[in-house]
């Protein structure tokens, strides 16, 4: 009987630990994505379009690496939507439609913030 209780406690601790680890990873990843997106917006506002294009390319490469883990932890539509927004931003920078690029970079930041708010644990979402 004691062995079953210990086994249940170990499994419970493992579940709680994995849940906390997941939330920490999601928070750190989405915070980094928000920072990268805001940096791109700042570069576009400063009319440093080559720098913005390079930063968007770097963010795309970074997100592709993070996407593998995030797709395991989160709903795929949220993760794919961010990749689509990054690609749209890259396309508008490549097409030299810089007003559109600014709008897309601001929208990207909003999409990342919204996804973070939906995917992270919040008591208001539980109650």
């Amino acid at each position: 009987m004691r062995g079953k209780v210990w086994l249940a406690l170990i499994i419970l601790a493992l579940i709680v630990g994995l849940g906390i680890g997941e939330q920490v990873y999601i928070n750190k990843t989405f915070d980094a994505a928000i920072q990268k997106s805001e940096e791109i917006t700042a570069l576009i506002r400063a009319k440093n379009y080559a720098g913005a294009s390079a930063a968007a390319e770097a963010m795309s490469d970074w997100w592709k690496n993070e996407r593998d883990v995030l797709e395991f932890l989160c709903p795929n539509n949220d993760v794919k939507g961010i990749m689509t927004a990054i690609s749209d931003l890259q396309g508008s920078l490549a097409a030299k439609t810089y007003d559109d690029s600014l709008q897309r970079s601001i929208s990207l930041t909003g999409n990342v913030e919204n996804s973070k708010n939906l995917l992270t644990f919040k008591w208001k979402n539980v109650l």
Side-chain angles (χ1 to χ4, degrees):
M1 183 72 168
R2 281 186 142 189
K4 290 181 182 181
V5 171
W6 280 110
L7 179 63
L9 289 175
I10 291 170
I11 291 172
L12 178 63
L14 183 63
I15 290 170
V16 170
L18 289 172
I20 291 170
E22 171 196 34
Q23 289 300 303
V24 168
Y25 181 79
I26 289 172
N27 271 308
K28 285 184 178 183
T29 302
F30 279 89
D31 286 344
I34 290 167
Q35 180 183 4
K36 290 175 186 299
S37 179
E38 288 174 344
E39 288 171 4
I40 295 169
T41 301
L43 289 168
I44 293 170
R45 284 189 171 141
K47 300 187 187 306
N48 181 354
Y49 303 120
S53 184
E57 182 70 29
M59 183 178 184
S60 177
D61 293 341
W62 172 80
W63 189 258
K64 286 176 188 173
N65 291 330
E66 297 298 321
R67 180 177 63 183
D68 293 336
V69 176
L70 288 171
E71 285 180 344
F72 178 70
L73 300 174
C74 307
N76 289 343
N77 291 339
D78 293 316
V79 176
K80 289 177 184 177
I82 293 171
M83 190 68 226
T84 301
I86 294 169
S87 298
D88 288 344
L89 174 59
Q90 287 179 294
S92 64
L93 285 166
K96 299 181 181 179
T97 54
Y98 299 124
D99 288 338
D100 189 43
S101 299
L102 179 60
Q103 178 269 329
R104 290 183 186 276
S105 69
I106 293 169
S107 178
L108 172 61
T109 303
N111 285 343
V112 174
E113 288 173 345
N114 186 49
S115 292
K116 178 187 176 194
N117 289 333
L118 290 172
L119 297 172
T120 55
F121 179 82
K122 296 197 183 329
W123 281 108
K124 69 179 182 177
N125 295 341
V126 174
L127 302 175

